[in-house]
Amino acid sequence: MQIIRAGRLLPARADGYTGAVCVTVGDDGRIAAVERIDPGTLEPSEARLLLMPALSDAHDHGRGLSPLAYGAADQPLESWVVALSAQPQVDPYLNALVAFARLAESGVCAVNHCHNTQDGTALLAEAEAVSRAARDVGIHVAFAWPFFDRNPLVYGPLSPLLERLPEPLRARYATPRAMRSCAENMALFAKAKAFEHDLFCLQYHPVAPQWTEEATLGAIARASARDGRHIHTHLFETERQREWADHAYPNGLVRFLDDIGLLSPRLTIAHAIWLRDDEIALLAERGVTVATNVSSNLRLRSGMPPLSRLIDSNIGICFGLDGMALDDDQDMLRELRLARLSFARDPRLLDAFVLNASWRTGRRTIVGEDGGGDIAVGAPADLFTIDFGTLASDTLLEVPQVFPLVLARARRQHVVDMFVRGREIVSNGRCRTVDLPAAERLLVQNARAAYRAMPVACDEIDALQRAIEDYYTCGCHFAV
């Protein structure tokens, strides 16, 4: 049994109770009792705390090693993905362990991990490593299994790109890198089910429509309808993706996805920046959820999601870091603030809405409907506390404004404790299930050794980036 006492509570509604509280967690990891208490009975360290449901990160990539570490500077997505080829191979367990522990210290109890393979032939081993990391850190992880079998370098025909490459590089890129067929991927997916446990589950992840064959998208839609598993994909992250889709699918890409059965309440789409109103209406009608990624969209020059129009449609909205937090620090609290400020002119985007999008909507895309995201009897005890005493240290109000202070000031540095199913994962701001500083040092040490040993061809990356930029500037992606 776990007892959690705090001087304040952040409720699901802005007009809810925000006073002192004592939460009792049963041996089953669910909340057994929620009691309002006299704040005078609290210890000073307890009185400073604000208790709330733990956050979710609805779209991420488990990057323990930042792309900036190996020179992949912020730039438009289409050239940025080329820079990722300079990534040294690191231990997938260590990479995920660092990423998940950092999220835990940011108050995140659940993450959708869109896996990027380091070695295309080792996906099964990488999935097992991520499963272990989820168990060892102790947070919920949905492993989005990547289906990537189309357009490996550009959206559209390859030959115009090859014509723009220097002669020595043409042969290298004339044959696309090895990609798994749908049948092979489904077979590996079936084997990976053995890695599932109470904190780790598999989802289908057609990486994006431009990167997934139509037959594969259809197979995933049918598989999801049979087994009820969630699907997670990127959609319309950049304007160039929008342009490609409009030429490749004259009747509409979103309509095509609906025709093959992909659109359903089991589907989450990330980014969704370049959606049209009719597409938003269709997604809302089908119960699709949108995961927005404000920091990443800014850093990769993708644009800003049409949040006001999404709200008008009553579509489910949640937030993700995408492995590209504004300050490269995996701070989910800052991400929520950035989302709130980015759309401050919309009075409907209230503080309670932003927090509930993370507490409930985002969580649902990861673990399903389990009653979480609330502080109520019977709910999973996935909770965290922040140092509200510091946030409100200068307030002149007799009763501090809890919601505005949290959304305006809270950062990962203010996280004190975080619990998953009543188990204390973070204590006094530090992950207690794993030694994060030691894991970070080892990850960097191994990455540096691997980087020194690999042939990093900066000139080759530059040449490919220039060719890709010219490919899109000349409209080669309009060819179908």
Side-chain angles (χ1 to χ4, degrees):
M1 182 175 291
Q2 177 79 254
I3 304 295
I4 306 169
R5 289 156 54 91
R8 295 188 182 276
L9 171 71
L10 195 60
R13 298 192 340 267
D15 60 350
Y17 174 74
T18 60
V21 67
C22 176
V23 173
T24 303
V25 181
D27 293 337
D28 61 354
R30 293 184 174 268
I31 296 174
V34 181
E35 303 172 83
R36 300 183 183 188
I37 60 174
D38 179 354
T41 64
L42 297 171
E43 297 292 331
S45 59
E46 296 172 332
R48 298 178 62 84
L49 298 180
L50 171 67
L51 177 68
M52 70 180 90
L55 305 173
S56 64
D57 179 356
H59 180 74
D60 215 313
H61 292 274
R63 295 188 180 107
L65 184 69
S66 166
L68 287 172
Y70 48 89
D74 297 354
Q75 57 193 293
L77 177 77
E78 285 78 14
S79 57
W80 179 77
V81 294
V82 176
L84 297 184
S85 62
Q87 177 185 2
Q89 284 200 17
V90 295
D91 180 351
Y93 168 78
L94 197 58
N95 202 30
L97 190 81
V98 168
F100 297 160
R102 286 174 179 165
L103 287 175
E105 291 188 352
S106 186
V108 171
C109 71
V111 59
N112 192 300
H113 171 80
C114 299
H115 190 71
N116 295 124
T117 55
Q118 296 184 89
D119 181 350
T121 65
L123 177 55
L124 197 63
E126 291 180 6
E128 187 279 329
V130 175
S131 172
R132 277 189 288 123
R135 187 193 301 276
D136 289 349
V137 174
I139 68 171
H140 303 279
V141 175
F143 186 98
W145 188 276
F147 287 77
F148 177 80
D149 54 10
R150 181 186 194 186
N151 294 338
L153 293 173
V154 286
Y155 321 137
L158 186 60
S159 57
L161 176 67
L162 297 178
E163 293 169 2
R164 287 163 168 78
L165 288 175
E167 184 63 41
L169 297 182
R170 291 180 186 174
R172 181 176 305 176
Y173 291 102
T175 303
R177 62 183 179 181
M179 294 185 289
R180 291 174 299 278
S181 68
C182 180
E184 181 184 4
N185 231 348
M186 286 293 188
L188 290 172
F189 187 94
K191 292 181 180 180
K193 292 177 183 178
F195 308 143
E196 293 186 308
H197 51 77
D198 58 348
L199 291 172
F200 182 85
C201 65
L202 298 179
Q203 294 189 1
Y204 299 107
H205 178 39
V207 178
Q210 70 272 5
W211 290 318
T212 312
E213 292 286 357
E214 292 180 357
T216 301
L217 291 170
I220 289 171
R222 293 189 295 273
S224 173
R226 287 193 303 269
D227 61 25
R229 289 183 183 271
H230 286 208
I231 305 172
H232 194 100
T233 192
H234 300 73
L235 182 68
F236 293 148
E237 182 174 357
T238 71
E239 189 172 16
R240 284 165 173 170
Q241 293 173 6
R242 170 88 257 181
E243 293 169 345
W244 167 83
D246 287 345
H247 285 77
Y249 297 88
N251 295 324
L253 173 58
V254 175
R255 176 61 63 183
F256 166 76
L257 298 178
D258 187 46
D259 289 343
I260 64 173
L262 200 72
L263 306 189
S264 81
R266 298 182 302 278
L267 175 65
T268 299
I269 59 173
H271 301 291
I273 296 170
W274 296 91
L275 286 170
R276 295 192 301 256
D277 287 346
D278 62 308
E279 295 166 335
I280 293 174
L282 180 57
L283 292 170
E285 183 180 341
R286 297 293 184 261
V288 175
T289 302
V290 173
T292 63
N293 316 93
V294 180
S295 289
S296 175
N297 298 158
L298 289 170
R299 292 182 60 182
L300 299 181
R301 287 54 163 180
S302 299
M304 296 298 284
L307 202 52
S308 295
R309 291 188 285 129
L310 292 171
I311 292 173
D312 285 339
S313 74
N314 292 316
I315 201 168
I317 300 170
C318 51
F319 302 100
L321 288 169
D322 200 27
M324 293 288 286
L326 188 66
D327 293 335
D328 224 18
D329 58 358
Q330 293 299 84
D331 192 333
M332 196 66 211
L333 287 163
R334 181 184 282 118
E335 183 70 15
L336 297 182
R337 174 160 58 259
L338 185 62
R340 175 67 176 86
L341 292 173
S342 298
F343 307 97
R345 287 180 294 179
D346 191 330
R348 297 160 302 174
L349 193 58
L350 303 176
D351 300 336
F353 173 86
V354 172
L355 287 164
N356 274 287
S358 186
W359 291 341
R360 293 178 173 175
T361 309
R363 178 189 180 91
R364 185 177 65 245
T365 69
I366 300 165
V367 301
E369 294 282 7
D370 68 346
D374 196 5
I375 300 180
V377 173
D382 293 354
L383 313 167
F384 81 116
T385 61
I386 64 173
D387 180 4
F388 188 75
T390 296
L391 294 187
S393 62
D394 63 345
T395 185
L396 306 181
L397 303 178
E398 184 176 347
V399 179
Q401 296 178 321
V402 180
F403 275 95
L405 284 170
V406 169
L407 266 296
R409 294 180 171 180
R411 306 190 308 276
R412 62 178 296 125
Q413 292 89 335
H414 297 116
V415 174
V416 179
D417 304 302
M418 201 274 286
F419 305 85
V420 176
R421 296 180 177 175
R423 180 190 181 196
E424 192 172 29
I425 305 300
V426 175
S427 177
N428 294 318
R430 298 296 181 188
C431 185
R432 62 179 295 177
T433 51
V434 299
D435 186 342
L436 177 57
E440 289 175 325
R441 289 192 297 271
L442 184 58
L443 177 62
V444 172
Q445 175 185 334
N446 291 351
R448 283 175 175 161
Y451 188 78
R452 287 193 296 267
M454 67 183 287
V456 180
C458 295
D459 291 343
E460 180 177 328
I461 291 175
D462 290 344
L464 188 55
Q465 287 177 326
R466 287 193 300 271
I468 286 175
E469 179 60 31
D470 190 56
Y471 178 97
Y472 291 115
T473 300
C474 293
C476 296
H477 56 310
F478 294 161
V480 294

